[in-house]
Amino acid sequence: MGSPSDAFTSKSFRLTYASGRGRNLVLASACSVAAMSLACGVGTAHAMENSIDTLLEEVQVVARKRGDAERLQDVPVAATAYSGDQLEALQTRDLESLAFKMPNVQMDDAGTIKSTANFTVRGLGVNSSIPSIDPTVGVFVDGMYMGINAGVILDLFDLEGIEVLRGPQGLLFGRNVTGGAVVVKTAKPTEEFTSKVRFSTTAQQETNLAGTISGKISDSVNGRLTAYYSDDQGWFENKATGNDNFGASETWFVRPSFTVDLSETADLIVRLEKGHVDADGITGINRGEGAKALAASVGITDWDNSEDSFELAIDEEGYAKTDWSQAIAEYNQDVAFGNGTITNVLAWRDYETIGDGDIDSTPLPLFHSSSLIEQDQISNELRYAGRFGSTSVTSGLYWFSQDLKYMEGRQILGVLAAFGIPGFPQLQNGGGLQDHEARGVFTQADIDLNESWVLTLGGRYSWEEKEVQIASIQQNNGCDLYGCEVYEFNDSEKWSAFTPKVGLQWVMSDSAQSYAVWTKGFRSGGYNMRNTVPGESPGPTDQEEQNSFELGAKVQWLGGRVKTNMALFHNTIDDMQREVNLPSQDSGVAQLIRNTANATIRGAEFELMAAATDNLLLTMNLGYVDGKYDDIWLDISGDGVVDGADYALEIPRLAPWTYGVGMVHDLQLGSWGALTSRINYNHRDASAYTDNNLGMLSEVEMVDFSIGIEPDGGNYRIALFGKNMLDEVSEGNDTQLPYAFTETLVLGPGASFTPLNRGRIVGIELNYEI
């Protein structure tokens, strides 16, 4: 946990060798390159900071959106934050890789559409790739709210830091963040000239090349250019095609940014980004008994589709192509009024993805799907932060507008076309258009009652409006992947809510504080742009509201060498919005978006970081969540009635226990420098994926490690690292498929669409810095 102000101020070169499950480790060439680099490296030697000192440094956060960043330990918010230096030390490459390092936090990719976030915090999340479903966990990049959950899980490079705020953040961050907020800050241009290059290669011929250059352009302008390229040849074995490298992707982005000193009291930061992903389709496995029998019928007799297997057997490997462009302009003006700062963040993003995949996840064409998403958003936030005597005030106005297009095509039972059966494959198409506008006004006052007590009072009023045109996914409706001749459902709706906040903070000393907070959360209603059930309305749903009460404490001991953070929370959710997945003989999977229930979720969190000695750092995290339904009015079990069977179901994506321990050790080797060892063990309980609990996400035990050497006063750091060393299978989702498409073609109980995450990765890493 370190200050982000000095992040990425040196030039680095990184060579990474990685290998996947069941593959031979060929490390000799990488070691030779590392040795040559050490022997022949050029540049000015400098002292590298001790890794334990880096992890003990205070992180500066923007959780309260004041004029200046604040120490994480001083903020009365349950949060985990990392500086850019710490992310590099922990070898973090994407948001998903942080999933197991925080209590009560899951950052999973849904798997259906590449880079689609199904983030869950404290048991509140979504289980869908339908873009019209608003996420419960908001992602903010340099102050820009990401309007849909697609296109969120991408490679991270050249960051200032990341903050994960747990619990509803609906006052200052707004827009539907009933579960929490993920705040991503990219590195700013520097006045001093700096540069960094990272190169990596893998056993699967994966290549990564990334670089940054930053420095002064003129007396008043600093610039930074960041570029990233990744060519991943894939990890999974597909038994149906003989492809041992399925899951390949090619990714690139460029990010120029500028800071302009407009005057002594005003500055402007402009960040631009453009990127592209070209990838294989869905890495799905079907775990049903019938799926294995179908594979055997076409000669695939050695396919292991058990819960411990990474082997796939799909006939349609598909593809996914994604493009995005964005621009963020942040203006800051210091004013005498309250010795404060006026900030305006204007942001625009254009996103498009198209692709198809094998939903039945078998070697036969039973259920394939194509989809297209086009999204264009623009937003503006104007806020003021200042102090008047004993009161700090943050107030602002927010506006967000989004145009969204989603189209989907399904091919059902294409296998029957080979037998000349009329009407097959069934081609079903549909989707919709949505215009969306959100506005908000907010204020928060932190009042120093005396030297020890701070009272927080705040509120936000939010307005949302959505207008849709939707065509249900069915045959012969005049739709294709790019649009429809007629959208049979046309509607619009408005929602609004006031979300207050009351908090009390007790500052016991410079190193200890506790707090109590009550707040409300709001998630607007919406529509189902993937309407698959004839006769069912696409919406609208009612808005979801949450009451949250939290008690927390943050304490530092022994001059900051030991830090402990803890929290207790109790949340009630009214009119919970859910996507209910049920098997369908007509459309493959019936997906309904409904207000299903009222629920209560409560739990606790604990985090510890302790420097046992100057050379040994210990970490621990522990999270517990318990949830239950209070009232249910939709048959979520699928048995035709609402009864005790529904109330006995587990809330989806609520993993009761998450916990982990870690160790970082620095061993001084005299003139050889220092040997740094890191190991982490993290556990996450199994949890339900679907509301009927037939789809489940596996229990996971994650073990990561790294062992690196850094010469004293040198330019290099070489490390051997491993991720998911126990080769644990984890899933993006687990959607149940129909038990039978026809009377003669049976998949059988347990047939599922289950996209998999990768297993074990081992590698070598070389850093070169100037």
Side-chain angles (χ1 to χ4, degrees), residues 435-453:
D435 295 329
H436 178 195
E437 185 173 5
R439 293 167 290 159
V441 55
F442 59 89
T443 188
Q444 176 171 307
D446 298 306
I447 306 166
D448 297 339
L449 302 178
N450 52 43
E451 293 183 354
S452 299
W453 293 91

Side-chain angles (χ1 to χ4, degrees), residues 335-349:
V335 294
F337 179 69
N339 192 26
T341 301
I342 295 174
T343 299
N344 192 87
V345 180
L346 175 64
W348 164 83
R349 176 176 169 89

Side-chain angles (χ1 to χ4, degrees), residues 80 82 94-100 102 104-110 116-121 137-139 152-153 156 162-165 181-184 653 684 757:
T80 303
Y82 299 94
D94 52 49
L95 289 177
E96 191 177 7
S97 65
L98 292 174
F100 294 93
M102 306 178 192
N104 295 332
V105 173
Q106 301 178 50
M107 293 185 179
D108 296 328
D109 190 327
T116 297
N118 273 190
F119 291 175
T120 300
V121 176
V137 179
V139 177
V152 172
I153 303 178
L156 302 179
I162 289 179
E163 305 169 26
V164 178
L165 314 179
V182 178
V183 181
V184 179
R653 287 196 173 274
R684 186 173 74 195
N757 300 317

Side-chain angles (χ1 to χ4, degrees), residues 11 75 85 114 135 161 229 240 328 371 398 425 437 474 498 512 581 654 658 745:
K11 181 179 181 182
V75 177
D85 288 335
K114 186 173 178 60
Y229 174 78
I328 305 170
S371 63
Y398 179 78
E437 185 173 5
Q474 55 189 342
F498 175 65
N581 293 307
L654 191 153
T658 56
L745 184 60

Side-chain angles (χ1 to χ4, degrees), residues 23 35 69 91 156 164 218 255 278 296 329 366 425 455 482 488 494 510 549 688 756:
R23 294 175 171 84
Q91 297 175 344
L156 302 179
V164 178
S218 69
R255 184 193 301 141
D278 191 348
L366 305 180
L455 174 66
Y482 297 95
E488 81 272 6
K494 298 179 180 179
D510 290 340
F549 182 73
L756 298 180

